[in-house]
Amino acid sequence: MTDLLTNWADWLPQLLKGLGISLQLTGFALALGLPLGLVLALASSARGPALRWPAVALVEIGRGAPALVVLQMVYYGLPSAGLNLSAFLSGAIALGLTTAAYTSEILRAGINAVPQGEVEAGQALGMTRQDILRFVVIPQGVIFAVPALMGFAILIFQATALTFTIAIPELLARAYRIGAATYLYLDVLILAGLVYLAVTIPFGWLVNRAARRLGSHLG
């Protein structure tokens, strides 16, 4: 047991560096994916089929394609089209596209949850359809979607582990590197799992708290 704790103390600084990269990937993916998800949510709810059906098709394709496949397509596929990106940027874009596809449905559900009375109140005030969407529907819809979006952020953080396949030195990649050097794979992977839990469990509590606060506000 003493040897295990000593090894963990030696390995932890490297794993924390990997955790920093995992968190950066998560941040970039959300920064890219959430605005795209909102655009897809609005487009898939549009009245015109010329806008709605392509958006729906993109969402279904994005949700149906495994994140690992999207990651490999961006990293290995784009260079064949003449677009060379760094491993980190490829990972952020791939996870951002996956985020956009999934969060579009979350945001669309939030937008649809806005009471019709709010829209009618805006119409009574003489607001245009665009202004009602911009100042009434979207802000409230995003608020309704916050707990689910926070929960999805945890999944994207966990999905950053997939980027070890393209040599990004994130948390899991550093754990494998230590395991390859020491042959103590189980020990270092247990430590890596504990580091993941140190992030996901507190954030999960925040998600539950946000959901309860929203529920009490709506009640």
Side-chain angles (χ1 to χ4, degrees):
M1 187 65 179
T2 303
D3 290 341
L4 176 63
L5 294 178
T6 300
N7 289 334
W8 280 5
D10 291 337
W11 300 335
L12 188 58
Q14 285 297 316
L15 295 185
L16 291 179
K17 290 180 181 179
L19 173 62
I21 294 177
S22 296
L23 293 173
Q24 289 177 38
L25 278 171
T26 303
F28 277 103
L30 294 174
L32 172 65
L34 289 177
L36 285 177
L38 179 58
V39 171
L40 288 172
L42 295 174
S44 60
S45 301
R47 296 177 180 178
L51 184 61
R52 183 174 69 251
W53 290 117
V56 170
L58 287 174
V59 170
E60 292 303 318
I61 292 171
R63 295 176 66 193
L68 182 58
V69 173
V70 177
L71 178 64
Q72 299 294 316
M73 288 179 62
V74 172
Y75 184 66
Y76 293 108
L78 291 183
S80 64
L83 185 58
N84 294 304
L85 302 175
S86 66
F88 183 90
L89 188 56
S90 296
I93 290 174
L95 293 176
L97 294 175
T98 298
T99 297
Y102 280 92
T103 58
S104 66
E105 289 299 289
I106 296 173
L107 289 166
R108 187 161 69 93
I111 289 171
N112 290 338
V114 176
Q116 184 62 29
E118 300 286 341
V119 177
E120 293 173 353
Q123 293 172 341
L125 292 173
M127 298 175 66
T128 64
R129 186 171 181 272
Q130 290 76 16
D131 286 342
I132 292 173
L133 186 65
R134 181 175 163 191
F135 297 111
V136 178
V137 175
I138 291 178
Q140 292 192 54
V142 170
I143 290 174
F144 291 151
V146 162
L149 292 175
M150 292 175 66
F152 186 79
I154 295 176
L155 296 179
I156 286 297
F157 168 67
Q158 294 170 336
T160 60
L162 297 174
T163 62
F164 90 94
T165 60
I166 59 173
I168 294 178
E170 47 71 56
L171 177 54
L172 184 61
R174 290 177 184 266
Y176 270 110
R177 189 178 301 170
I178 293 171
T182 63
Y183 298 101
L184 299 174
Y185 284 99
L186 180 59
D187 293 351
V188 70
L189 288 174
I190 289 175
L191 180 58
L194 292 175
V195 174
Y196 278 114
L197 290 175
V199 175
T200 58
I201 289 178
F203 201 77
W205 290 338
L206 289 177
V207 172
N208 293 332
R209 184 175 179 181
R212 288 195 299 268
R213 292 188 64 180
L214 180 60
S216 63
H217 174 73
L218 294 177

